[in-house]
Amino acid sequence: MKRIAVLTSGGDAPGMNANVRAVVRTGRHFGLEVFGVIGGYAGLIEGKFITLDTPQTANIIAKGGTILKTSRSKEFMQPGGRMAAINKLKNAGIEALVACGGDGTFRGAHALWLEHKFPIVGTPGTIDNDLFGTDYTIGYDTAINTCAEAIDKIRDTAESHGRVFIIEVMGRHAGFIAMDVGVSCGAEFIAVPETVTNTDILYQRILENGKNKRTIVIVGEGDELGDAQQLSLLLKEKYDISSHVTILGHIQRGGSPTVRDRVLASRLGVEAVKALLNGKTDVMVGEINHQIVYTPFEETWMRRKPLREYLIELSDILV
Ligand code: F6P
C-alpha cells in the first residue's frame, strides 16, 4: 500500500482535525502518501483530493470543525454515487481510505466495501457518542463541556428569577449528551430517548424544589415526548407550570477540542492507519476500557450502545 486518503463526513465534531492530523502523520511515518478528500463523500464523488503532509496539518490540532469540510451526501448513498467515487479513487491511485464520522458515514463505508472491496477503516467522529464499539466518540467530551458551560450560565439567571428552564441538547436518538450534562449540571430532571419520560415525576420535583425556585430540566432532542418546546407546552397545559426554553443547538458542535478529544482523536487516527496496513477493513477503530477495539461497521449502528446505568441512578438520587 502506497497511497491512502482521509475524509470527514456527517455532522462535524471537535477533534476531527486532530484525527486527520494523526492519519496524515502516521501515514508519512510508515512511508505512505496521504491525500485529504474535501467535503466528505460528496467530495469523493467529485474527486476533490488534496495532498496532505506534515506542514498542512500543522496548527490544526486545537481547531474545531474540520479543515477537510464535510457533507451528508445523498448521492453516495446510491450505488451510482459510490461507483463514481471508486473511479475517482482508482484514477488517483488511492488504495485505501480512512473515514471519520458517525453511523451515516459507516453505512456508506460498509456499502463501498461490499460493492467494490475497497479497503476502508472508520474512526468514530460524532458529538452524539451513539456508536457501538467505542466508549467515547471524538467530539463528545468537547460537546458536553460546551453544554455544561452554557447551562451553568443559564442556572445563574434561573436562580435569580426562580424560573423553570427546559434546556434541549443534541444527540439525535441517543441520550448520552443529556445524561452526562444533566448529572454534571445538577439538573432536577433529565429526559432521554432511552427511558420513559414521566412528567408527573417532573412535576413533583418542581413542587418539591419549591414554587418559584430554580429548576433545570435537560431534554435530549430525541426524547419520545418531543422536544423542549413540546415539553414546555405540556407542562403548562397539564400542570399550569410556566417555563423558559433554551435550545443549545449547534454551539455543541463547535469549539476547540478538549484534551480528551485531542488524545482520543490522535490515538484512533494512528490506529486506523495501522489497521489498514495490517489488512483490516470494513471496521471502525474504537477504544473500550482504554484498549483498541475493531468493530465491524454494521455492528456500530445495529447494536445499541446502552446508557451507563449508574448515570440514571445518580440522576435520581442526587436531585
Ligand atoms: O449527529 C450529530 C448531530 O449534531 C445530532 O446531534 C443532530 O441531531 C444532527 O447532527 C444535526 O444535524 P445537522 O447539523 O445536519 O442539522
Side-chain angles (χ1 to χ4, degrees):
M1 196 178 287
K2 293 261 178 289
R3 278 185 175 182
I4 64 168
V6 54
L7 61 79
T8 52
S9 159
D12 61 345
M16 278 184 163
N17 285 327
N19 193 240
V20 168
R21 173 182 181 270
V23 169
V24 171
R25 292 180 178 203
T26 310
R28 298 303 294 158
H29 176 81
F30 289 110
L32 303 175
E33 237 184 303
V34 186
F35 290 82
V37 182
I38 300 296
Y41 288 138
L44 199 56
I45 292 171
E46 293 170 36
K48 287 188 176 169
F49 303 120
I50 56 165
T51 307
L52 291 176
D53 206 335
T54 303
Q56 289 81 25
T57 54
N59 212 9
I60 65 167
I61 195 165
K63 277 201 173 107
T66 159
I67 60 157
L68 294 181
K69 317 286 183 199
T70 186
S71 61
R72 298 191 193 277
S73 170
K74 288 205 171 68
E75 211 184 333
F76 193 78
M77 292 301 135
Q78 305 302 320
R82 293 191 288 273
M83 190 66 196
I86 278 295
N87 288 335
K88 292 290 197 273
L89 283 165
K90 289 197 170 149
N91 288 344
I94 295 165
E95 297 153 280
L97 197 57
V98 176
C100 178
D103 67 322
T105 303
F106 296 161
R107 282 171 207 263
H110 180 58
L112 196 70
W113 167 251
L114 280 187
E115 290 165 5
H116 302 284
K117 293 290 171 268
F118 193 84
I120 182 161
V121 161
T123 52
T126 165
I127 64 163
D128 297 344
N129 198 31
D130 59 346
L131 294 169
F132 182 87
T134 191
D135 286 339
Y136 295 103
T137 54
I138 297 163
Y140 176 68
D141 188 60
T142 308
I144 56 179
N145 278 287
T146 300
C147 290
E149 200 183 324
I151 293 164
D152 288 347
K153 289 180 176 144
I154 294 170
R155 170 182 288 272
D156 289 344
T157 177
E159 183 79 41
S160 304
H161 285 267
R163 284 174 171 165
V164 176
F165 265 84
I166 305 190
I167 301 161
E168 183 179 307
V169 297
M170 281 185 170
R172 210 181 282 269
H173 307 299
F176 293 98
I177 295 179
M179 214 63 217
D180 265 328
V181 164
V183 169
S184 67
C185 293
E188 276 72 22
F189 193 82
I190 307 169
V192 290
E194 289 86 346
T195 60
V196 176
T197 301
N198 185 331
T199 53
D200 289 340
I201 295 179
L202 168 56
Y203 178 57
Q204 279 311 315
R205 288 197 183 157
I206 293 172
L207 292 186
E208 279 161 22
N209 207 25
K211 209 166 164 30
N212 301 326
K213 284 261 185 71
R214 171 265 308 148
T215 305
I216 300 288
V217 179
I218 305 294
V219 185
E221 64 176 342
D223 189 64
E224 79 284 358
L225 279 191
D227 58 19
Q229 203 66 53
Q230 284 164 309
L231 188 59
S232 174
L233 283 176
L234 194 148
L235 276 185
K236 186 68 191 162
E237 279 163 14
K238 199 167 171 194
Y239 309 102
D240 196 29
I241 296 281
S242 300
S243 56
H244 282 63
V245 168
T246 302
I247 298 166
L248 293 186
H250 286 77
I251 64 160
Q252 294 164 89
R253 288 237 297 260
S256 179
T258 59
V259 168
R260 284 188 69 165
D261 271 332
R262 294 181 201 188
V263 173
L264 179 68
S266 299
R267 184 179 191 199
L268 296 182
V270 169
E271 293 299 333
V273 176
K274 281 163 60 182
L276 282 175
L277 288 170
N278 289 330
K280 293 208 164 30
T281 180
D282 196 28
V283 292
M284 178 193 81
V285 184
E287 194 190 74
I288 297 178
N289 290 332
H290 306 288
Q291 303 300 314
I292 291 298
V293 175
Y294 311 98
T295 303
F297 278 139
E298 255 190 323
E299 286 185 28
T300 64
W301 71 83
M302 286 182 72
R303 295 181 66 179
R304 196 168 171 86
K305 181 158 88 179
L307 281 184
R308 286 180 298 281
E309 287 290 329
Y310 71 85
L311 281 178
I312 300 174
E313 191 192 354
L314 285 186
S315 73
D316 282 336
I317 293 177
L318 298 178
V319 266

